[in-house]
Amino acid sequence: MAFKKLAIGNDHTAVDLKNEIMEYLTEKGYEIVNVGTDSKERMDYPVSGYKVAKMVASGEVDGGILICGTGVGISLSANKVHGIRAVVCSEPYSARLSRQHNNTNIVAFGARVVGVETAKDIVDAWLGAEYEGGRHQRRIDMISEIEETQGLSVVDNAQ
Ligand code: RB5
C-alpha cells in the first residue's frame, strides 16, 4: 500500500519535532492530518495515540506517525486499538523491516531519543517500504489471532 494520507499525533515533548516532520512530508506531497497537541503544556500521550490509531483502523488515513518523549507510551496506546500494528524505532532499518515483514500501519519515535534528521530518515524508510506478504502473512495472522481470541492455537492446542 502506498501511503498518501497520514495522521500524525504527539504529546507536549514532541511539538517541535512533529512540526518539522509535518513540514517535511507536506513538501513531499503527503496529506497530513494533525491530531496531536500544538501546546507544550503537559498532556497525556494516550489521547494522541488513540486518536491516530482510530483513524488508521477505520481507514480514514493510510497510516500514522506518533511521537512522544520516547515513542514508547504513545505506541503502546495505539497498539491497544484493534488492527493496529505500531512500531517504535530509533533508526531506519527497523522502520523499513517493520513495513516489509510486519506490515506496520503506524510508526513511532521519541523526540527525546532521535534528532530531526534521524526522524526524517525513519519516516522515509517506513514510507518507502512495502509489505512483502508471503511467509510473513502467517505470522501477522498469528498476531491477529492473539488479538481476536487472547489465545494462539498452535500453542494452546499443542499436545
Ligand atoms: C512524558 O514525560 C513522557 O513520559 C512521554 O513523552 C513518553 O516518553 C512516554 O512514553
Side-chain angles (χ1 to χ4, degrees):
M1 178 184 71
F3 293 109
K4 289 192 177 96
K5 185 174 179 182
L6 301 163
I8 195 164
N10 61 288
D11 74 359
H12 54 284
T13 68
V15 176
D16 293 339
L17 184 55
K18 187 265 300 281
N19 288 333
E20 296 263 11
I21 295 298
M22 277 181 56
E23 188 182 332
Y24 180 66
L25 291 178
T26 302
E27 274 173 16
K28 283 179 169 247
Y30 292 95
E31 185 183 345
I32 310 292
V33 183
N34 174 21
V35 297
T37 182
D38 292 315
S39 162
K40 293 184 183 178
E41 290 291 308
R42 279 201 186 93
M43 61 84 73
D44 299 324
Y45 55 76
V47 172
S48 297
Y50 174 72
K51 283 182 182 174
V52 167
K54 287 296 276 190
M55 291 178 77
V56 172
S58 72
E60 195 176 337
V61 293
D62 304 319
I65 299 173
L66 289 172
I67 323 171
C68 65
T70 58
V72 174
I74 206 161
S75 59
L76 289 175
S77 308
N79 273 318
K80 296 299 179 188
V81 173
H82 196 271
I84 292 302
R85 287 179 301 280
V87 62
V88 56
C89 44
S90 308
E91 34 68 36
Y93 178 80
S94 302
R96 178 164 59 82
L97 268 288
S98 83
R99 283 288 304 135
Q100 292 173 337
H101 290 191
N102 314 115
N103 200 13
T104 50
N105 44 22
I106 292 180
V107 66
F109 41 88
R112 292 171 171 163
V113 180
V114 300
V116 177
E117 296 309 317
T118 300
K120 289 177 184 173
D121 284 349
I122 289 169
V123 164
D124 282 342
W126 190 74
L127 290 171
E130 287 287 325
Y131 177 50
E132 291 174 357
R135 73 186 189 279
H136 303 296
Q137 189 55 47
R138 185 163 54 89
R139 295 149 187 173
I140 302 292
D141 291 343
M142 291 167 88
I143 294 171
S144 299
E145 186 190 344
I146 296 169
E147 183 176 54
E148 302 278 352
T149 70
Q150 290 296 295
L152 187 60
S153 51
V154 293
V155 175
D156 298 340
N157 300 338
Q159 299 297 324

